[in-house]
Amino acid sequence: ETRPWIWDRLDDGVRQRIVAWLAGILGDPIWDNNWTWFQAIMEAFLRSVGGPWLAEDIERTIARTDAWHVGGGWYSDGTRESGALRNFDYYCGWAMQFYPLWYCRMSDSDSAELLARYRGRLTDFLGDVRHLVAADGAPLLQGRSLTYRFAMLAPFWAGAVLDATPLAPGATRRLASGVVRHFANAGCFDDAGLLPLGWYRSFPNLRQPYSGPGSPYWASKAFAGLVLPPDHPVWTDVEEPMPIERGDVQLTLPAPGWLVSGTKADGIVRVAAHGGDHASLDHPSFDAPEYARHGYATHAAFDIENAAPIDSHVALITEDGRVSHRRPVHPIRIDGRIAISRSRAHWLVGDAPVPWRTEGGESWTLGPWLTTASVLRGAWEVRIARVDGPPSDTGPLRLRIGGWPVAADEPPTADVRESTATARRTDGLTSTVAGRHGLPLGGHVRTTDRNPLGRHAVTPWVATENPVLPGQIYAALVTLSGVALTGDVDIAIAAEQVRVTWPDGERDELTLPGPDQFEPGGGSGGAVAAG
């Protein structure tokens, strides 16, 4: 992209040294995820300047990418020995969707079929993820490398540059300008004018093991559209409203296992997550807060806690207070407004808490299967849980359903009235969880310096008073809204059937499959070592 201004002006000695240095990547074994595209992009450049390159490196990258495509334009970013991971997030877009098309732009010698394949996938992907941005430009807060902030715009610009988008030019610019403006207005630059590690303010706990002080500047990928000329329609057309500015959004995304609900009244987007968890299929592990929660939103962030999670988490709690983990997640059903998944409850053997993302070599106590379901509409989610065998040797277990955390630099207020708990921010953002079936206890937890959206956070919860009964269905109504909600949601349960009646009279019905209808992996109670 910059060859006339940089490469063409370097003397031959400098060029030779750069080629020699980049050639060090030839034949290197690359981590089995999107990083394989770093190798392919470098070798595509080397090929373009007459340097050395290996066809097998690029062929391996293309083959891996095809294997990770799970349908609908979505990629699972990487594999482990046990098979493909379910890594679904924005990172897949700014890497897995971005580099393949830019590779084609750099490689005129490759087939038109490859370009058409990547264009089709990116077009499908953008048709989904354009709905994951709030009216005020806040992106969904989920997945890894969140400190890259507005880098999530990279695939939108790749679509505009390479004719691989369902968005009109004015819609692309509206989304891009809205996201960058959102972060700038929220104070994402420090006193030196730099992007620190964090989401808005400095929040180092949002870093990944591979993060460094310069990592936030992957955000520069949000400006990939600047390769388009000034007279391109993306710059000259009038900005168009985003979908959520036109009306409510209801979307079912089978590939990542997400239900999406955006509401025009407050501009908030919510996701009920029953698919991706960034975990191996057969190893219990600590819940990754950025992947394994039951819910994600544009205006609520997970607490940085993986030893005893509570926010947007459904947990079985032992008599000594240990909290069960959900990861890995086994998706069962997703269609319409309904999603169902199942996970094996497990608890860490030994001391807790542990540092965020600590995993490998731990010992776990396995418990019963926990089936959970979400019925999502507007700002309302009916969250359902049932415990199935085998029994646990941990003794009696209580069930707790955590609501959305509300965070701000000024402490939010909390209110608990019997089986209903509420957290509220000064701007009106409100999180409520109400126990409806078998969850008579309500409460809340306050945390400090554990949430990327603000120093103080409050999470409401409801719980059983007595030990859970296997086979019994428990249900709570969970809401996150920036405006007052009117009407009520009725939840009727009969045997394995659940019927949800919304305030306008519409209904959703679901059946939770019994334990004999799902066998994702056997085993009974006891201790196992993971890692």
Side-chain angles (χ1 to χ4, degrees):
E1 301 296 346
T2 61
R3 187 166 298 179
W5 303 282
I6 300 178
W7 183 260
D8 290 349
R9 297 183 181 184
L10 300 176
D11 64 50
D12 287 342
V14 174
R15 291 182 191 175
Q16 291 172 13
R17 288 191 292 275
I18 291 174
V19 166
W21 184 73
L22 289 177
I25 201 168
L26 268 65
D28 270 4
I30 304 297
W31 196 263
D32 207 11
N33 62 7
N34 71 87
W35 290 4
T36 188
W37 275 105
F38 299 167
Q39 184 180 51
I41 289 289
M42 288 188 213
E43 295 193 29
F45 170 74
L46 289 170
R47 179 174 60 185
S48 75
V49 296
W53 62 284
L54 293 176
E56 53 264 37
D57 286 350
I58 292 174
E59 290 167 359
R60 182 177 61 250
T61 293
I62 293 171
R64 283 177 171 179
T65 302
D66 285 343
W68 294 331
H69 183 244
V70 297
W74 286 82
Y75 291 102
S76 176
D77 184 12
T79 56
R80 290 184 185 168
E81 294 82 357
S82 59
L85 299 173
R86 295 187 303 278
N87 300 356
F88 304 113
D89 54 15
Y90 276 123
Y91 197 96
C92 289
W94 67 56
M96 300 293 291
Q97 295 283 6
F98 184 83
Y99 292 117
L101 278 162
W102 233 278
Y103 167 83
C104 291
R105 181 173 167 91
M106 298 169 66
S107 308
D108 295 336
S109 60
D110 283 299
S111 70
E113 187 277 331
L114 189 64
L115 177 60
R117 185 191 315 168
Y118 294 145
R119 272 180 171 158
R121 291 176 184 174
L122 179 54
T123 300
D124 291 344
F125 179 75
L126 294 180
D128 289 342
V129 297
R130 62 178 169 177
H131 298 290
L132 302 181
V133 177
D136 66 358
L140 185 73
L141 228 159
Q142 178 273 341
R144 66 188 178 108
S145 298
L146 291 171
T147 192
Y148 301 173
R149 296 175 174 91
F150 33 88
M152 49 76 56
L153 293 170
F156 291 96
W157 284 122
V161 172
L162 292 143
D163 191 24
T165 178
L167 280 70
T172 295
R173 193 174 81 252
R174 165 66 185 94
L175 191 146
S177 64
V179 169
V180 175
R181 185 182 301 113
H182 172 80
F183 280 100
N185 291 344
C188 67
F189 299 102
D190 62 18
D191 292 341
L194 300 176
L195 290 171
L197 286 163
W199 184 247
Y200 298 144
R201 60 191 171 90
S202 174
F203 189 70
N205 280 333
L206 203 62
R207 68 188 183 274
Q208 311 287 150
Y210 48 79
S211 300
S215 292
Y217 278 85
W218 282 103
S220 60
K221 293 169 81 169
F223 302 97
L226 291 176
V227 303
L228 294 170
D231 60 352
H232 190 279
V234 80
W235 305 124
T236 60
D237 283 6
V238 175
E239 290 191 0
E240 298 183 9
M242 295 168 56
I244 197 171
E245 295 177 289
R246 300 178 186 270
D248 290 353
V249 172
Q250 188 81 39
L251 198 63
T252 305
L253 303 182
W258 292 352
L259 302 176
V260 180
S261 178
T263 44
K264 178 182 178 182
D266 53 17
I268 296 174
V269 178
R270 309 153 194 82
V271 165
H274 289 265
D277 57 8
H278 203 284
S280 297
L281 291 174
D282 54 358
H283 288 296
S285 62
F286 292 105
D287 287 335
E290 72 273 40
Y291 286 104
R293 297 291 192 259
H294 278 76
Y296 293 94
T298 54
H299 287 64
F302 49 83
D303 266 6
I304 304 299
E305 167 63 74
N306 76 330
I310 181 170
D311 58 281
S312 294
H313 183 56
V314 179
L316 294 175
I317 303 175
T318 63
E319 287 187 299
D320 60 0
R322 288 184 295 149
V323 177
S324 71
H325 292 260
R326 184 190 186 205
R327 192 169 173 235
V329 175
H330 299 269
I332 296 176
R333 171 190 174 187
I334 178 164
D335 62 79
R337 294 188 285 246
I338 298 169
I340 306 174
S341 62
R342 184 167 291 179
S343 59
R344 185 78 182 271
H346 53 281
W347 298 267
L348 176 69
V349 176
D351 295 332
V354 295
W356 187 33
R357 291 190 181 84
T358 297
E359 55 182 297
E362 302 87 8
S363 293
W364 300 92
T365 298
L366 295 181
W369 288 98
L370 181 61
T371 302
T372 59
S374 296
V375 189
L376 182 65
R377 188 182 185 206
W380 289 285
E381 178 193 347
V382 175
R383 197 169 293 171
I384 301 161
R386 188 187 64 204
V387 175
D388 299 315
S392 171
D393 59 7
T394 57
L397 300 170
R398 292 175 56 242
L399 175 71
R400 182 179 67 196
I401 294 181
W404 298 97
V406 171
D409 289 334
E410 181 179 338
T413 60
D415 181 54
V416 179
R417 301 184 184 183
E418 298 180 348
S419 60
T420 299
T422 299
R424 183 174 288 107
R425 217 163 59 181
T426 56
D427 64 358
L429 182 68
T430 303
S431 167
T432 299
V433 57
R436 291 298 180 86
H437 289 268
L439 299 162
L441 300 182
H444 71 276
V445 62
R446 291 184 179 272
T447 58
T448 303
D449 293 330
R450 279 197 349 208
N451 194 293
L453 290 186
R455 188 172 181 212
H456 302 280
V458 176
T459 302
W461 56 262
V462 293
T464 59
E465 186 172 16
N466 301 311
V468 294
L469 300 175
Q472 179 171 325
I473 295 177
Y474 300 84
L477 183 64
V478 180
T479 62
L480 176 72
S481 181
V483 297
L485 300 176
T486 58
D488 195 16
V489 178
D490 180 71
I491 308 168
I493 297 176
E496 295 180 350
Q497 307 288 323
V498 180
R499 185 182 69 240
V500 178
T501 305
W502 305 103
D504 62 0
E506 277 201 44
R507 291 183 178 181
D508 283 297
E509 297 184 359
L510 69 149
T511 301
L512 290 186
D516 57 336
Q517 297 172 273
F518 181 74
E519 297 294 338
S524 58
V528 298

